[in-house]
Amino acid sequence: MPAPIRTVTACLAASLNAAGMDPGVQVARCDDASAWSSETRADVAIVPEHATRGTSSLRMRFVDANAHNVFTTAIASDWSSGRYLTIDAFVDATMPVAIGVWTRDQSDRKITATVVLKPGANTVSVDLESIEPEVKQDRSRMKSLCLFQWWSQTATVWFGDVRITATPAPAAFDAQASIAASHAPPADFRDQPGSFRSPLMRDDGTRVADASQWPARRAEILGFWHGEMGAWPALIDAPRVDLVSEEQRDGYALRTVRVQVAAERTLTAYLLVPSGTTGRRPAVLTVYYDAETGAGMKPPSRSTYALDLAKRGFVTLSIGVQPWTVDDHAFYPDGIQPLSYLAYVAANCCNALAAMPEVDPARIGVTGHSYGGKWAMFASCLYERFACAAWSDGGIVFDEERGNVNYWEPWYLGWQPGTQRARGEMTDPATRTGAYARMIAAKHDLHELHALMAPRPFLVSGGSEDPPSRWIALNHARAVNALLGVSDRVAMTNRPEHGHTDESKAQLVEFFVRELKP
């Protein structure tokens, strides 16, 4: 069995001395390690007060009580700038491991981030400047650095194999080049159809032979989905947009508006118009639980699409609906699944944008994250007026092994009056309800909706719910585009975690810049 945690101080001190550095090591929780549970945090802190130049790192090995390796990891920071933390880890486990990192500056202020490491090899860079931007401090005078285990599948945690190495700061990220390279599936998933039925196969079993036959097949797919989810009410050609207030911000006007989203319904939304706007500009609708997040009014969220795009020259409209209003069904009309009705709401917002004098009606996109990713996907697939779309980690196929890909819930596709399953993960197929149950039984899946986007471009900003293997479903949309004689219309980027990183958010913004060209 490896040495318990109380010996790590000596190991680390020896390593630091060997590197010509003052150890200054602090170890937290030096009590009886055998009593720790999987929820217990174990902290090891480096205080490199004399390491003011170059880089330093701590390497440690986490093992369980039976000496089975869980993961090894190294942390490093460029102490001349005090900005970057690099984590290189190999997770020898079947489940992800979450670790946290924190630092303290000379004023003893604490900055924390959480990183999820997937099974296998990981290299993750954390920009400490982005963790808590509202805390202003001189990170070149950083006092300490700490790594702790947040959770894993182990019952008891031990530390050992501690040493110092040199790690360079990460290279600058090029979002534009990344998006340009995001249209090719990895070799492992290229041209794999999986178990999905080709959307080029008609309901009668015959196959679409050429581009001239696609419009009829597209109408067949669209008709099926509307038939299962419930027909939309009539769309509003020019929805009302009533100005509530307006203020000038740095580079854009922020307008609070009431936008008409149905015949007798309005939502409070935020319209962001770049300063000095002349002529018609592209626009993007952002959808989420609330309108404030997209407009950058709820820091430190990274889902600030409306704000980020407005700063790049787009007119943006940020809207939000709390999905659990389905409890009393007050927001949703009878006879239509909530997710489809949200797509209808987005379609009317698209029409509202198209009627604005600042907006080019041929260049309107839509985007959202998580729940908003599902919403944006259904909106763009079901309403052809959206010129392009970006869907962030909403779950682009049905997947009952992923609790967040929960299309079975009543606020998505599982609404069934008088028969509602208990909320939560799908553990019993007999509890499926609503349109979701019918679609699963008939072996339909969301790749059919993806096909409706062709030839319009879309981006899947994948995280934990949409890993690279989702290319197997996306290959079918690529096949439809190939039939239509176009390419580079299906893109996917990936990150390990569900939430956005700075890089993934930059990629999403660059996608709209590439496709709508402000």
Side-chain angles (χ1 to χ4, degrees), residues 138-493:
D138 180 3
R139 296 186 190 278
S140 66
R141 301 173 62 221
M142 201 172 291
K143 178 181 176 183
S144 64
L145 186 76
C146 174
L147 172 74
F148 58 85
Q149 182 197 30
W150 193 254
W151 54 260
S152 76
Q153 65 186 55
T154 61
T156 305
V157 176
W158 305 79
F159 292 109
D161 188 24
V162 183
R163 56 192 175 87
I164 296 295
T165 60
T167 304
F173 179 72
D174 188 339
Q176 188 175 36
S178 175
I179 283 297
S182 66
H183 298 84
D188 289 347
F189 307 115
R190 191 171 301 147
D191 300 324
Q192 287 195 33
S195 60
F196 299 101
R197 185 177 187 270
S198 172
L200 295 174
M201 296 293 294
R202 300 184 182 90
D203 290 348
D204 64 6
T206 60
R207 188 176 182 87
V208 173
D210 56 46
S212 68
Q213 298 177 0
W214 173 246
R217 172 56 182 153
R218 186 184 190 281
E220 188 175 52
I221 296 171
L222 189 61
F224 168 80
W225 281 81
H226 277 309
E228 287 295 330
M229 297 186 298
W232 281 3
L235 288 164
I236 305 169
D237 291 333
R240 296 191 320 274
V241 180
D242 300 324
L243 180 65
V244 177
S245 65
E246 180 174 358
E247 59 180 287
Q248 293 298 318
R249 297 286 183 95
D250 184 17
Y252 65 97
L254 175 65
R255 301 173 186 171
T256 303
V257 298
R258 294 288 297 180
V259 59
Q260 184 184 16
V261 297
E264 303 297 331
R265 180 168 288 124
T266 62
L267 289 177
T268 297
Y270 297 99
L271 180 67
L272 285 69
V273 181
S275 299
T277 298
T278 58
R280 293 182 177 269
R281 289 178 175 264
V284 176
L285 172 69
T286 70
V287 296
Y288 201 51
Y289 296 100
D290 57 76
E292 289 77 12
T293 297
M297 301 166 70
K298 278 194 170 183
S301 172
R302 286 192 173 102
S303 299
T304 54
Y305 308 127
L307 174 60
D308 299 329
L309 289 163
K311 290 181 175 180
R312 296 292 297 271
F314 292 80
V315 175
T316 59
L317 182 65
S318 181
I319 66 171
V321 173
Q322 294 289 345
W324 27 82
T325 54
V326 75
D327 286 339
D328 57 10
H329 215 62
F331 186 77
Y332 309 98
D334 292 333
I336 184 170
Q337 289 294 322
L339 189 52
S340 181
Y341 186 69
L342 290 174
Y344 167 78
V345 165
N348 282 323
C349 288
C350 180
N351 289 349
L353 283 166
M356 295 178 185
E358 303 94 341
V359 173
D360 181 350
R363 293 187 292 163
I364 300 176
V366 61
T367 189
H369 171 65
S370 191
Y371 152 66
K374 295 177 176 70
W375 183 353
M377 181 173 71
F378 271 66
S380 55
C381 293
L382 296 175
Y383 194 49
E384 203 169 3
R385 193 169 194 176
F386 285 111
C388 64
W391 317 324
S392 175
D393 210 37
I396 62 166
V397 295
F398 295 145
D399 186 348
E400 293 182 349
E401 294 184 0
R402 303 296 304 175
N404 288 329
V405 189
N406 51 344
Y407 289 97
W408 55 80
E409 295 288 10
W411 54 83
Y412 290 132
L413 299 175
W415 175 254
Q416 184 170 313
T419 308
Q420 295 302 322
R421 64 181 295 275
R423 310 296 170 83
E425 294 188 4
M426 177 60 67
T427 58
D428 182 1
T431 64
R432 296 172 181 146
T433 54
Y436 178 80
R438 296 190 297 272
M439 291 175 182
I440 292 292
K443 301 187 184 305
H444 288 272
D445 213 316
L446 299 174
H447 71 296
E448 298 169 11
L449 289 185
H450 308 164
L452 300 180
M453 286 295 294
R456 296 171 295 152
F458 67 91
L459 166 71
V460 178
S461 178
S464 58
E465 310 312 307
D466 285 319
S469 59
R470 298 292 195 226
W471 271 110
I472 295 174
L474 295 177
N475 284 333
H476 293 278
R478 296 180 77 238
V480 175
N481 279 290
L483 180 82
L484 300 179
V486 297
S487 60
D488 291 348
R489 304 301 171 92
V490 180
M492 187 176 192
T493 60

